[in-house]
């Protein structure tokens, strides 16, 4: 994520591919949601189970 961020922010860095930016976006959302759910007390077992039908997870995780 830091390479993607720095590639967009700094003119002297190589611009990341659009697909890499899109993947990073969805992965960041998934990480935040996973973290927040854990802080709210959702059990890890439940989180893993729900990844199978989560639309964000389908976009963020490789097949």
């Amino acid at each position: 994520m830091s390479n993607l961020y720095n590639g967009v922010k700094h003119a002297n860095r190589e611009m990341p591919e659009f697909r890499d930016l899109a993947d990073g976006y969805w992965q960041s959302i998934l990480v935040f949601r996973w973290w927040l759910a854990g802080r709210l007390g959702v059990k890890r077992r439940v989180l893993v189970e729900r990844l199978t039908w989560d639309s964000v997870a389908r976009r963020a995780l490789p097949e």
Side-chain angles (χ1 to χ4, degrees), residues 2-63:
S2 63
N3 287 337
L4 294 174
Y5 172 77
N6 285 322
V8 171
K9 182 179 178 193
H10 300 287
N12 64 338
R13 305 265 178 110
E14 185 176 335
M15 182 69 157
E17 295 291 323
F18 178 78
R19 179 67 187 176
D20 293 334
L21 290 171
D23 289 345
Y25 171 78
W26 291 113
Q27 290 167 4
S28 296
I29 291 173
L30 187 61
V31 167
F32 176 75
R33 288 172 57 192
W34 185 281
W35 172 82
L36 181 60
R39 299 287 294 168
L40 293 173
V42 178
K43 303 286 185 209
R44 182 178 174 84
R45 172 186 52 81
V46 173
L47 291 173
V48 171
E49 178 184 302
R50 291 184 182 172
L51 280 177
T52 60
W53 54 268
D54 187 316
S55 63
V56 172
R58 277 186 251 131
R59 291 179 180 189
L61 300 175
E63 295 181 18

